[in-house]
Amino acid sequence: MDIPTLTFFAFAAVLIFASMRVITARNPVHAALHLILAFFTCGAIWALLQAEFLAIAIILVYVGAVMVLFLFVVMMLDINMDRIRQGFWKHLPLGVVIGLLMVLEMGMVLGSRYFQVPAADAIEPANVSNVKTLGALMFSDYVYPFELASIVLLVGMIAAIVLTHRGPKNTKYINPSKQIAVKAQDRVRVLQMPVEKE
Amino acid sequence: MFENFVVPNLLPALPELFLTTMALVILMLDLVVKSPRRTPIFVLTQATLVVCALIQLVTSTGEVAFTFSNMFVDDLMADVLKFFLYATVIVVLFYSRGYVLDREPMAKGEFYVLALFATLGMMVMISANHFLTLYLGLELLSLSLYAMVAMNRDSVVSTEAAMKYFVLGALASGMLLYGMSMIYGATGTLEITELTMRLASGGANKSVLIFGLVFLVAGLAFKLGVVPFHMWIPDVYHGAPTGVTLFIGSAPKLAAFAIVMRLLVSGLWTLAADWQNMLMILAVLSMAVGNLAAIAQTNLKRMLAYSAISHMGFMLLGIVTGVVARKSGGPDPVLALNAYSSAMFYVLAYVMMTACAFGMILLLARAGFEADELEDFKGLNKRSPWFAGMMLIVMFSMAGIPFFIGFFAKFSVLQAVVISGQYWLAIVAVIFSLIGAFYYLRVVKIMYFDAPVDTTPIAAPLDMRVLVSANGLAIALFGIFPQWLMSICAAALKNSL
């Protein structure tokens, strides 16, 4: 067994272990941390397959952004895991059936002859970096849609801010110059009333 | 891999580049502008659009130019449509200015920035020669419009309209994308000119193509707002703030016409026999539902929404007959050109009329008062004979009464239908136009023969009055000299097909 195969098995073992812990850990923070480990190991396996771009993307996007956000949410919410676990055995048969179906479907797709990659296409010539190739395409042939997509994202950002930003009105901030300029007449209202007898 | 890199020719896309740069500059400038009326932002936005129009005029060569690895096409049709697009957006922003200022949540610089980005989206759509850019342009337009509708966030109706628009718009985009992916699967290309060649050479799986075509037509029909994909139109037109309704109802029709032409007429014209039947059903249903449902409306914005549906159905007739003309007895480019240019003329005329109609609603609206009910137009003649006259011109023109531009738009489309030999289609179109005339004339009757309910004097600023008057007079003027616009349309399409 050569070194790459050995590394693959090591990563695969870590991946399976991490994925199992995601669903078995009692503490939600532990589960989220194991999910990070699973993503990271996935990235490592992609790197083994010479898909550097996907490897970097999954680490930057999922580990760097999505999971950090996820951890924040998990830490802030008080999730009662025991309540979630109730009825585990009741739902298990359905879960197993769905899982088996998914394995079967995947097997059908991967096993059918339409989806086989010819061996000649699978071997990349040496010195080809797919990050570089993607980048070159993105900034040459596809520069126009690439820039347009960035503008679409910008519009999304502007729209989100316009629709949710209500100005600093609901903060406790008090304008000092207004505070100093206040007069007694603005605060106290003197009413003229007839004297009332008991 | 970088040795063969060529800097794309930026000249055809100069207006797009300029508009993008200016939109970003305006977005930043908005941070430092203190004036609550946002006058500098408004002026700069309008100046940007004027400069874009000038660039378009100067750089227009009449030749077909491709750039950005054939993803962008600049031909005379694109030039003409973009020129009218800038003009429409300029007029729309002038009309909606007072309305926006009166409604606090919308009186922000972002309104103008979003309008500019929506314009950019439409420009991209008009010049798209690739499924990817076409879709991105469409999303840019839609995303900006959703935000503009929702901007009036204190109004429940507007929020509901934005939500409906967003959900249905996303569904339509999904359909369009699904259709595109099917066609990509069958032909292996996303580029429209390349697609035409591959389809002409044959060999593509026909059933996959038809499958994709159905979804493509459904997505386009959603965006055009024709029956049975019209459900969003009345609610969005009614619920959106009138200034935004005006925007949605006018300029995007130009872009929608452009993508129908690019996708169906130039891209998929080998499949014309198939999509022609689909469009015919859509057209007849739209004219029927639009005109009949408009009669029952008491809200002017809703009535104009149904009228938009019927007008788009009528416009589709032009595109349908172009293909018939090509099909019967071999291709006849002259008749096809005639039919397409009549459809283009129809769109331009419709945009002009709809801008003026919503302009009138905005003219009568003031802070806290929308003026969008038919009731609000009662006795307008007693309050202001001049503007009642303008509204009369718009309504007569929309009904297709000679000699206003709407008459010639309908006339030229009908002429194309009759020449193509489909008399039953022409008869159906005329009957529904006659039914439609009823509700347009009802507005005229309300203005001239009913007693006014609201007697507040019209307090619109001078520029608004001048612009609405100019718009109304343009409808009358182009009605007397329709050949000016007609020859532009014919010339634009001649070099582009």
Side-chain angles (χ1 to χ4, degrees), chain A residues 129 132-133 136 139-146 148-149 151-152 154-156 158-159 161-166, chain B residues 1-2 5 20 24 27 68-69 71-72 108 110 114 117 120 124 132-133 136 140 143-144 147 150-151 153-154:
Chain A
S129 143
K132 217 169 163 182
T133 319
F139 289 100
S140 58
D141 284 354
Y142 288 86
V143 65
Y144 182 55
F146 181 67
L148 279 177
I151 294 173
V152 171
L154 175 70
V155 168
I158 298 172
I161 294 170
V162 163
L163 296 183
T164 54
H165 181 65
R166 290 203 174 247
Chain B
M1 72 190 58
F2 297 104
F5 176 70
T20 316
L24 295 174
L27 184 66
F68 290 122
S69 359
M71 288 187 185
F72 183 99
K108 288 185 196 145
E110 281 85 359
L114 286 174
F117 278 128
L120 177 68
V124 170
L132 205 55
T133 48
L136 282 169
L140 190 54
L143 205 56
S144 313
M151 255 181 113
R153 58 188 174 196
D154 296 336

Side-chain angles (χ1 to χ4, degrees), chain B residues 190-208:
Chain B
L190 286 171
E191 196 187 306
I192 294 175
T193 33
E194 177 81 28
L195 177 75
T196 319
M197 283 193 290
R198 292 208 188 169
L199 283 178
S201 65
N205 186 331
K206 179 96 183 194
S207 52
V208 177

Side-chain angles (χ1 to χ4, degrees), chain B residues 56-241:
Chain B
Q56 203 76 57
L57 269 186
V58 172
T59 60
S60 170
T61 52
E63 301 290 312
V64 184
F66 294 97
T67 184
F68 290 122
S69 359
N70 288 351
M71 288 187 185
F72 183 99
V73 58
D74 183 35
D75 49 16
L76 210 54
M77 180 177 96
D79 289 341
V80 170
L81 283 176
K82 278 187 205 167
F83 188 79
F84 277 95
L85 174 68
Y86 306 133
T88 313
V89 176
I90 289 172
V91 170
V92 163
L93 289 182
F94 260 117
Y95 284 169
S96 53
R97 172 148 168 83
Y99 182 89
V100 165
L101 280 177
D102 286 340
R103 278 146 192 85
E104 195 274 320
M106 296 175 76
K108 288 185 196 145
E110 281 85 359
F111 182 83
Y112 300 109
V113 176
L114 286 174
L116 280 184
F117 278 128
T119 312
L120 177 68
M122 289 185 266
M123 291 158 77
V124 170
M125 280 159 81
I126 290 173
S127 277
N129 192 40
H130 196 272
F131 284 171
L132 205 55
T133 48
L134 196 146
Y135 174 71
L136 282 169
L138 188 62
E139 282 307 286
L140 190 54
L141 167 67
S142 312
L143 205 56
S144 313
L145 288 182
Y146 304 147
M148 282 167 85
V149 175
M151 255 181 113
N152 194 9
R153 58 188 174 196
D154 296 336
S155 151
V156 182
V157 198
S158 295
T159 316
E160 188 197 323
M163 205 60 210
K164 267 186 192 152
Y165 193 19
F166 178 67
V167 172
L168 289 178
L171 193 70
S173 297
M175 290 219 186
L176 202 65
L177 271 186
Y178 195 59
M180 284 175 180
S181 67
M182 282 291 156
I183 289 170
Y184 177 63
T187 58
T189 180
L190 286 171
E191 196 187 306
I192 294 175
T193 33
E194 177 81 28
L195 177 75
T196 319
M197 283 193 290
R198 292 208 188 169
L199 283 178
S201 65
N205 186 331
K206 179 96 183 194
S207 52
V208 177
L209 271 180
I210 301 295
F211 195 68
L213 181 68
V214 171
F215 281 93
L216 210 62
V217 169
L220 288 176
F222 247 118
K223 296 294 172 192
L224 274 174
V226 288
V227 180
F229 305 102
H230 67 292
M231 301 299 182
W232 60 276
I233 294 246
D235 289 338
V236 172
Y237 274 43
H238 184 194

